[in-house]
Amino acid sequence: MIIAGVESMHQCCFVFALGYLTVCQITRVYIFDYGQYSADFSGPMMIITQKITSLAFEIHDGMFRKDEELTPSQRGLAVRRMPSLLEYVSYTCNFMGILAGPLCSYKDYITFIEGRPSHMSQSSENGKEEPQRERADPSPNAAVTEKLLVCGLSLLFHLTISNMLPVEYNIDEHFQATASWPAKATYLYVSLLAARPKYYFAWTLADAINNAAGFGFRGYDRNGVARWDLISNLRIQQIEMSTSFKMFLDNWNIQTALWLKRVCYERATFSPTTQTFFLSAIWHGVYPGYYLTFLTGVLMTLAARAVRSNFRHYFIEPPQLKLFYDIITWAATQITISYTVVPFVLLSIKPSFTFYSSWYYCLHICSILVLLLLPVKKSPRGKSTQENVPLSWAKKFDERENSLGQNSFSTTNNVCNQNQDAASRHSSLTQ
C-alpha cells in the first residue's frame, strides 16, 4: 500500500488482495476438500480482502482525488491521512469481525475505537439533517439479547427442518419424473427457504458480537429507541416478504453489497451490473456454481428492473389492486430467487445444469424475452435505465424507508445520501 503510492494503491491492493484470495480458494477447493463447507482460513480471508480493498479506495479518494471528482458517499468515506500500522492491523484483524465480519468503513471503526461521538445527526422528514441532543451511549444488552435469540431460533431451524428439505432433492430423478410443476415450484421455494437460516445464524451472531463490544450503535430513532444496526448484514423480515428482486438483494448480505458498490459499481466505466456480479462471484470462490448463479443474477436483475419500470405504476391504486400485485410479485420473486441460487448451493456444473434442464431454462428464456421485448426507458443522459440506475445490492431503501429507520448505511453514507437527488445518483455512476 505504501510502496504503490496513493495514486495507484487502490488498483494494486485490489489486484493483490483478490488474487491472493483466489489462490487460497483454489487451494482449499481443489486440493483439500472439494464440496465441503469447512471452517478454514479462506473465510476470514474474504473479510480481510474486503477491508484491505475498501481502505485502499478510501485513501485514494481522500489523498489523491479532488473533492469535486467524488460522489457524496465517496467524499464522506474518504480517508485524509495514511493510517498507522497499528490502526491498519486493528481495522483489518480486530477480533470482533475476523471470522464472519461484517465489513465496516474505516471511519466508523476508528470513530468507535477512539470513543468519539459519530451519530449526532438524523434526517428529518424533508430530508435535511437535524442535530440530535447528546446522550450517553446506551447499553447494547437488549439488542444483543434479541439477536442471540434470533441466532438460537435460526440454528434450531437449521439443525432440524433444513436437513429434512435438502436442495439436492430438486435434481432427484424420481422427483423430476413424477412431480407436477406446482409441486416442483413449491419444493424449490421451501428447500431454499430452509437453506437460509445458517446464514441468518452466522451474520446475526457476528452482528451481536460487535454490538456486545459496543460497536454498531447508530443513534436514536424519532421515538428515542436506540438503533444497533450500523453494520447489520441482513433484515430477515424484508428478505422473506420481498416483492421484488431488488428488495431481496437490498436486505441480503448488506455490507458486502456496499463493498461491491464502492469498489466496483460506482467506478465501472461500462456494464457496471455485469462487472459487479462477476466480482461477487470471484470473491465468493472458485466453484462453478457461484458463476452460474451470478451470471443468472445479471439476467434476472435487468429483467426485473424492466418489468417493474414498465408495469408497477399501473398497480399503485386502489389498495386492493396493489395487494394483488404484491402477492403475485412476492411469489414470482421467491421462485426467481430460488431458481437463481440453486447452483450456488449445488456448487458443481453437472448438478446445476441438471436442475436448469429440468426447468427447461424457462426463467432464463423469459428474462431474455423481457429484455428484448419491453421498452427500455432512457435517462436524461441518454443511457438505458437498466445500466444507469444503481445496482439493487448497492442501493439501500429510499428516503421514505430511511425515515422509518430501516436503512443500514454507515453514518457517513447516511449524511451524504440524504442530500443526493435523483440526477446526482444517476450521474455518479458514469464516473
Side-chain angles (χ1 to χ4, degrees):
M1 184 179 287
I2 296 176
I3 296 175
V6 294
E7 66 277 5
S8 58
M9 66 185 313
H10 60 304
Q11 297 170 337
C12 295
C13 288
F14 182 84
V15 172
F16 178 81
L18 201 64
Y20 184 77
L21 174 64
T22 302
V23 171
C24 294
Q25 298 279 20
I26 292 173
T27 301
R28 181 180 72 85
V29 170
Y30 294 105
I31 296 179
F32 293 115
D33 54 358
Y34 188 94
Q36 301 297 318
Y37 288 102
S38 60
D40 66 343
F41 65 96
S42 63
M45 282 302 304
M46 294 170 72
I47 303 300
I48 293 175
T49 297
Q50 287 184 331
K51 292 183 177 181
I52 290 174
T53 53
S54 292
L55 180 56
F57 276 95
E58 290 164 6
I59 294 174
H60 172 74
D61 290 342
M63 298 182 65
F64 181 74
R65 298 176 67 191
K66 298 177 181 179
D67 276 359
E68 55 267 25
E69 298 175 346
L70 305 176
T71 66
S73 61
Q74 290 170 351
R75 193 176 302 120
L77 293 168
V79 176
R80 307 292 178 177
R81 68 171 181 83
M82 190 69 69
S84 67
L85 178 62
L86 178 60
E87 290 171 331
Y88 179 78
V89 174
S90 176
Y91 171 64
T92 56
C93 301
N94 69 83
F95 74 93
M96 300 179 295
I98 189 64
L99 291 180
L103 173 69
C104 64
S105 74
Y106 176 79
K107 273 193 169 181
D108 283 331
Y109 177 75
I110 291 300
T111 298
F112 160 69
I113 289 296
E114 294 179 350
R116 292 185 279 112
S118 60
H119 310 285
M120 299 305 296
S121 64
Q122 175 176 313
S123 62
S124 62
E125 293 190 7
N126 61 9
K128 295 183 179 180
E129 299 161 29
E130 293 181 348
Q132 297 186 41
R133 60 181 182 276
E134 190 168 354
R135 307 184 188 182
D137 288 346
S139 168
N141 290 345
V144 172
T145 300
E146 179 182 351
K147 290 174 182 179
L148 289 179
L149 179 60
V150 172
C151 287
L153 294 175
S154 299
L155 182 61
L156 179 64
F157 191 96
H158 173 66
L159 294 176
T160 55
I161 307 299
S162 297
N163 292 331
M164 300 168 56
L165 299 166
V167 176
E168 291 76 11
Y169 191 65
N170 284 286
I171 59 173
D172 180 80
E173 293 182 0
H174 178 72
F175 177 74
Q176 290 181 351
T178 59
S180 62
W181 274 103
K184 287 183 178 180
T186 301
Y187 187 81
L188 175 65
Y189 165 67
V190 172
S191 62
L192 269 298
L193 172 66
R196 291 200 279 268
K198 63 182 178 184
Y199 298 102
Y200 296 165
F201 168 77
W203 288 336
T204 305
L205 181 60
D207 193 16
I209 290 171
N210 281 271
N211 292 169
F215 186 35
F217 176 58
R218 195 158 67 92
Y220 298 87
D221 63 17
R222 290 184 178 79
N223 297 321
V225 178
R227 299 172 61 184
W228 287 90
D229 59 351
L230 175 63
I231 55 173
S232 294
N233 225 3
L234 77 166
R235 307 183 192 95
I236 297 176
Q237 182 178 354
Q238 285 86 342
I239 288 171
E240 301 302 343
M241 299 303 294
S242 294
T243 56
S244 69
F245 210 83
K246 171 191 179 301
M247 184 177 179
F248 187 98
L249 298 179
D250 276 348
N251 295 284
W252 176 269
N253 206 356
I254 295 167
Q255 302 306 321
T256 293
L258 289 175
W259 172 70
L260 292 168
K261 171 200 172 187
R262 294 165 185 166
V263 305
C264 182
Y265 193 87
E266 287 186 336
R267 303 170 196 269
T269 55
F270 66 93
S271 190
T273 299
T274 303
Q275 289 190 46
T276 303
F277 273 96
F278 187 68
L279 172 59
S280 183
I282 295 175
W283 177 78
H284 276 89
V286 294
Y287 285 113
Y290 295 162
Y291 293 84
L292 283 176
T293 286
F294 288 109
L295 289 175
T296 302
V298 174
L299 273 179
M300 300 304 168
T301 299
L302 298 178
R305 287 177 185 169
V307 171
R308 189 175 179 86
S309 64
N310 280 277
F311 294 106
R312 185 176 184 273
H313 54 279
Y314 294 116
F315 297 91
I316 301 301
E317 296 291 344
Q320 295 84 356
L321 186 61
K322 185 177 185 303
L323 177 61
F324 172 77
Y325 174 82
D326 288 342
I327 293 173
I328 296 299
T329 53
W330 173 83
T333 297
Q334 298 301 327
I335 294 299
T336 302
I337 288 289
S338 300
Y339 175 92
T340 301
V341 302
V342 165
F344 192 95
V345 179
L346 298 179
L347 301 177
S348 300
I349 284 283
K350 185 177 180 180
S352 299
F353 279 122
T354 299
F355 169 75
Y356 281 147
S357 298
S358 70
W359 278 67
Y360 302 102
Y361 298 91
C362 60
L363 295 189
H364 288 86
I365 296 171
C366 289
S367 297
I368 293 172
L369 291 176
V370 163
L371 295 175
L372 292 175
L373 299 178
L374 286 184
V376 179
K377 297 182 179 180
K378 300 291 182 179
S379 72
R381 294 180 63 89
K383 294 189 177 182
S384 70
T385 57
Q386 291 180 8
E387 283 297 339
N388 204 41
V389 293
L391 177 68
S392 59
W393 284 16
K395 236 183 131 185
K396 299 297 111 177
F397 282 166
D398 58 19
E399 297 277 344
R400 176 182 59 81
E401 290 163 326
N402 283 344
S403 68
L404 296 175
Q406 295 176 341
N407 181 277
S408 73
F409 270 110
S410 68
T411 304
T412 47
N413 273 347
N414 273 328
V415 172
C416 295
N417 290 339
Q418 285 157 6
N419 296 319
Q420 233 181 329
D421 59 18
S424 68
R425 282 198 298 268
H426 292 323
S427 62
S428 70
L429 297 179
T430 64
Q431 296 194 84

